[in-house]
Amino acid sequence: MRSAGRVLSMLDDAEWERLSTLYNGWIDDVADVLQGLATAAQDAERSVEGPPIARAVVADLRTRIEAAIGELIDRTNTLTVEMAKFQA
């Protein structure tokens, strides 16, 4: 339902608090995962001084990690926008 451009909450205070807590936990967990992935990619790149094949493997790993990071960021942004609609 909309009233004066605002979405009326269908959740009571306890439900909203639970959803907000889950959301905030998700954001914290995603941030931790992203930081861990970024650190792992950087560590792997710094550790490779050997043959070109090893550098290629690490470069591929970094590309895959960056893709995963991008996907998590996109999904988290979408979730943030949807949550904001409930708070409006």
Side-chain angles (χ1 to χ4, degrees):
M1 285 169 47
R2 290 192 175 268
S3 174
R6 297 183 69 193
V7 177
L8 298 178
S9 178
M10 295 187 295
L11 303 174
D12 65 27
D13 288 344
E15 292 169 326
W16 179 251
E17 182 64 32
R18 181 176 178 277
L19 183 60
S20 294
T21 299
L22 289 171
Y23 170 77
N24 290 330
W26 165 255
I27 295 296
D28 291 343
D29 290 347
V30 167
D32 290 345
V33 168
L34 293 177
Q35 184 59 52
L37 288 172
T39 299
Q42 291 167 354
D43 290 347
E45 274 189 317
R46 283 193 296 267
S47 72
V48 176
E49 297 176 2
I53 188 73
R55 286 192 301 276
V57 167
V58 170
D60 180 62
L61 171 64
R62 183 169 183 89
T63 300
R64 290 172 187 235
I65 288 172
E66 287 173 351
I69 289 170
E71 179 68 22
L72 284 172
I73 289 170
D74 288 346
R75 288 182 177 210
T76 301
N77 287 341
T78 298
L79 179 60
T80 300
V81 168
E82 292 302 313
M83 286 289 294
K85 289 178 185 177
F86 287 109
Q87 295 173 328

